[in-house]
Amino acid sequence: MIDLDDVGALKRNDPQGMRERIAELPWQCRQAWEIVEGQRFPADYAQADSVVILGMGGSAIGGDLVRTLVRDLCPVPIFVNREYDLPRFVGQGTLVIASSYSGNTEETLAAFQEASRRGAKLLALTTDGKLAQMAENLLTFSYLAQPRAALGFSLIMLLSILTELGFVPDPRPDLEEAIEVVEGLGSKVREEVPTSQNPAKQLALLLQGKLPVIYGAQHLAPVARRWKGQFNENGKCFAFFEVLPELHHNTVEAFPYPAELEDTGLILLLTSRLYHPRNTLRFQVTEEMLDQYGIPHWSMEAQGRSPLSQVLSTIHFGDYVSLYLAALRGVNPSSVETITYLKERLAQI
Ligand code: PA5
């Protein structure tokens, strides 16, 4: 097991430099904004009656996040599609944005082709691949990383597209605040900060041998999903997420029977001052109940004034936890051998 305070060992465990990609989140956000700013789109794109974002895994989560972030601002519905096909409503009035880091993800490509057949307004975000060849309206970025480590690009480019098309007001003051909060947080959780002062290392240690279940609500619901994905892909460990208030209508029935969770489970609660007051109350009551039934839990309040800064900073924290989890488990945080095996296996058939 790697000592989290041995920075040399952390680096040796991370030959592709996931730690550097994580640290680059603020830079990625700035770059992403600049790529899209001032771009010209076909005139009718601003008249779209709905927006559908296509993507999978590390390229889809930016869609979930942007959808939640602009929920109160965007006058048209936004739908995230993780399927080979499309819902019936997608047609000429829909703006379909395919987001794929590699540009070669089969589900995303199939749905993009279907959107093209239906005459939808098409746009693609990618670094390269078949998507770059297929798409007439294309925004590319160049960044050598795992797709999940390019989240600053996939999220902020989507936000910037919606801004350029006039669907949402200019979020730059919030983005500037978010970058400041992320930089401040990063200085407290990066690998040089010893465990005694580093809450991300402390959480990774707490998670050793545990099965995390992450609870989030509203703008932090997709962040709970992001933590789950990062713990899976970087830390190579099982993790699950749930969303409040929905979990109060089912999961809680299992609270009085916690046998399976007592030794291995750890519930991680992502709280926010920006939650609806009833959701804040629901988180408080949830913690009381978890105590009452002896279910181990841990909680964290999101930092920042705006939803965007809370989202980005909480993601940044979770990304570092996943990096330290990988070190504790002695696995390479960048490798995706099993995902690659599956993609190759399916491509053969
Ligand atoms: O993080 C990963 O590597 C995966 O979740 C990928 O994002 C996913 O397989 C989709 O690939 P791409 O992002 O290249 O479309």
Side-chain angles (χ1 to χ4, degrees):
M1 185 180 95
I2 288 174
D3 173 0
L4 293 184
D5 291 340
D6 182 344
V7 176
L10 287 176
K11 288 183 180 160
R12 284 191 295 281
N13 192 62
D14 178 20
Q16 280 83 39
M18 180 61 79
R19 64 193 181 285
E20 282 146 0
R21 305 294 85 74
I22 291 174
E24 281 164 0
L25 180 64
W27 174 84
Q28 287 181 32
C29 293
R30 287 206 171 95
Q31 286 290 113
W33 188 271
E34 279 172 24
I35 291 171
V36 182
E37 195 176 22
Q39 285 281 341
R40 294 225 163 268
F41 299 100
D44 64 334
Y45 279 27
Q47 270 78 56
D49 58 20
S50 50
V51 177
V52 173
I53 300 167
L54 314 177
M56 300 303 297
S59 291
I61 193 76
D64 294 326
L65 290 161
V66 87
R67 187 180 66 83
T68 317
L69 282 166
V70 304
R71 188 174 173 270
D72 297 336
L73 304 168
C74 184
V76 300
I78 300 179
F79 185 90
V80 179
N81 194 76
R82 289 178 164 88
E83 305 283 349
Y84 285 93
D85 53 9
L86 294 168
R88 179 70 193 86
F89 75 83
V90 176
Q92 292 180 359
T94 315
L95 171 61
V96 174
I97 309 174
S99 174
S100 169
Y101 176 89
S102 63
N104 288 324
T105 299
E106 66 173 43
E107 300 93 318
T108 310
L109 292 175
F112 191 71
Q113 276 166 331
E114 175 60 21
S116 171
R117 277 192 289 274
R118 294 196 199 172
K121 306 173 200 312
L122 302 174
L123 191 56
L125 299 188
T126 188
T127 60
D128 200 0
K130 291 181 191 150
L131 188 59
Q133 288 156 21
M134 283 161 60
E136 217 170 284
N137 291 302
L138 180 66
L139 289 168
T140 56
F141 62 97
S142 178
Y143 186 62
L144 201 57
Q146 287 299 318
R148 58 190 176 282
L151 180 71
F153 285 97
S154 52
L155 167 60
I156 300 301
M157 284 173 79
L158 287 170
L159 188 58
S160 187
I161 290 165
L162 294 178
T163 309
E164 288 291 325
L165 291 174
F167 288 116
V168 297
D170 190 339
R172 264 173 302 180
D174 286 351
L175 184 59
E176 281 311 314
E177 189 233 351
I179 289 173
E180 226 173 85
V181 174
V182 169
E183 285 171 342
L185 178 74
S187 69
K188 295 185 183 119
V189 295
R190 62 169 193 255
E191 62 268 30
E192 290 80 12
V193 181
T195 305
S196 57
Q197 292 153 44
N198 188 325
K201 288 184 179 177
Q202 290 166 12
L203 178 56
L205 284 164
L206 204 61
L207 282 167
Q208 265 191 300
K210 299 282 184 194
L211 179 67
V213 186
I214 307 122
Y215 288 1
Q218 297 178 231
H219 57 298
L220 301 184
V223 176
R225 183 178 196 140
R226 164 73 175 185
W227 279 36
K228 176 245 179 234
Q230 292 293 81
F231 291 1
N232 296 151
E233 291 188 66
N234 291 353
K236 276 79 178 162
C237 59
F238 283 97
F240 300 92
F241 77 99
E242 294 220 45
V243 174
L244 252 100
E246 173 64 18
L247 75 89
H248 275 186
H249 300 273
N250 33 64
T251 313
V252 288
E253 277 303 316
F255 280 12
Y257 309 96
E260 295 87 350
L261 284 185
E262 266 163 356
D263 295 332
T264 52
L266 183 60
I267 312 278
L268 309 179
L269 300 106
L270 305 180
T271 69
S272 165
R273 272 168 292 144
L274 301 179
Y275 281 164
H276 186 290
R278 298 296 291 174
N279 279 339
T280 298
L281 182 63
R282 282 178 184 276
F283 269 91
Q284 286 162 4
V285 176
T286 304
E287 291 199 63
E288 280 168 28
M289 291 168 75
L290 292 170
D291 279 337
Q292 185 184 339
Y293 293 114
I295 302 172
H297 59 97
W298 171 99
S299 75
M300 169 179 172
E301 183 176 302
Q303 292 180 24
R305 180 186 50 74
S306 64
L308 183 59
S309 62
Q310 294 202 348
V311 159
L312 282 176
S313 59
T314 313
I315 283 175
H316 203 48
F317 187 91
D319 285 0
Y320 271 104
V321 176
S322 71
L323 180 73
Y324 300 136
L325 267 177
L328 290 171
R329 295 165 71 81
V331 294
N332 178 347
S334 296
S335 73
V336 277
E337 281 169 25
T338 318
I339 294 175
T340 307
Y341 163 78
L342 264 169
K343 286 183 179 179
E344 287 172 358
R345 175 90 182 84
L346 283 153
Q348 287 162 6
I349 304 168

